[in-house]
Amino acid sequence: YGKYKFSNIENATIKLNGLYKSYARNEDPYSQNLPPVAYYLNVGSRNLMSLLTRPVSLKYFESDILKKVGKIFSYPWIAFWLIGFIFGLTKITQNTPLSFCLIVILYFIGATIGGAMWWADARFRVPMMPFIAILSSYGWNCLMKRRQINSICLLNKKNNRS
């Protein structure tokens, strides 16, 4: 770490970096005095938000313009797919392929947070992005259908009044 641009995983282990037994080596000022259950809930939820909402870094291109453009476009893109993803999660009932996508996403989230904890960033989101995209597009599709149904209902109400 430090002297290479692309780090290897040789020195990273679950015991050193992961959530496993992290309570004993806790140096986080926000969770320093919490009991173990509250600590794991706090740290797990913060790592989940970091994993899902941290924008991709374009630092390896060594261009200030690309770094700024990446930050400008990353946040709206993350908000877009996250809205669809969350709405898709609410509409997933009794749909086996979408349930499988959710299981794969939960596996990657658990493995990432359990194994990398504070090191979890956008690069760990890459393997689960196709599954997130499927659920997000399903969620946006449901939102658009809902909007069309609402607009048709409004048109019918206006026509009935006339």
Side-chain angles (χ1 to χ4, degrees):
Y1 303 117
K3 61 182 177 177
Y4 302 106
K5 285 195 178 207
F6 293 98
S7 301
N8 61 12
I9 198 78
E10 280 180 21
N11 298 326
T13 65
I14 292 175
K15 288 183 180 178
L16 293 177
N17 298 326
L19 197 60
Y20 177 69
K21 293 190 178 180
S22 65
Y23 184 74
R25 60 180 193 277
N26 179 22
E27 295 177 8
D28 178 36
Y30 297 108
S31 59
Q32 192 73 41
N33 297 322
L34 293 176
V37 173
Y39 165 78
Y40 284 111
L41 287 173
N42 179 308
V43 171
S45 63
R46 287 171 45 207
N47 283 295
L48 176 66
M49 288 296 105
S50 176
L51 175 66
L52 293 179
T53 62
R54 187 180 294 175
V56 174
S57 172
L58 299 176
K59 65 183 177 184
Y60 297 114
F61 290 113
E62 297 179 358
S63 168
D64 289 334
I65 293 171
L66 280 178
K67 288 179 194 175
K68 291 175 184 170
V69 167
K71 289 204 186 252
I72 290 169
F73 288 112
S74 289
Y75 286 113
W77 181 248
I78 289 171
F80 176 77
W81 68 255
L82 201 55
I83 290 168
F85 178 71
I86 291 170
F87 196 77
L89 287 178
T90 64
K91 301 295 180 187
I92 194 174
T93 59
Q94 305 294 323
N95 191 327
T96 305
L98 293 177
S99 298
F100 175 74
C101 288
L102 179 62
I103 290 170
V104 171
I105 292 168
L106 292 175
Y107 166 76
F108 278 113
I109 288 172
T112 301
I113 292 174
M117 202 163 99
W118 297 116
W119 295 84
D121 58 5
R123 68 189 170 127
F124 289 107
R125 190 172 58 229
V126 171
M128 62 181 151
M129 276 312 291
F131 302 101
I132 289 174
I134 291 169
L135 275 175
S136 181
S137 63
Y138 177 73
W140 277 107
N141 189 25
C142 290
L143 276 170
M144 292 299 121
K145 284 182 182 178
R146 185 178 189 185
R147 183 176 178 203
Q148 287 174 349
I149 290 170
N150 288 343
S151 63
I152 290 170
C153 289
L154 287 174
L155 286 174
N156 288 339
K157 285 181 183 178
K158 286 181 182 178
N159 290 337
N160 289 340
R161 289 182 188 168
S162 303

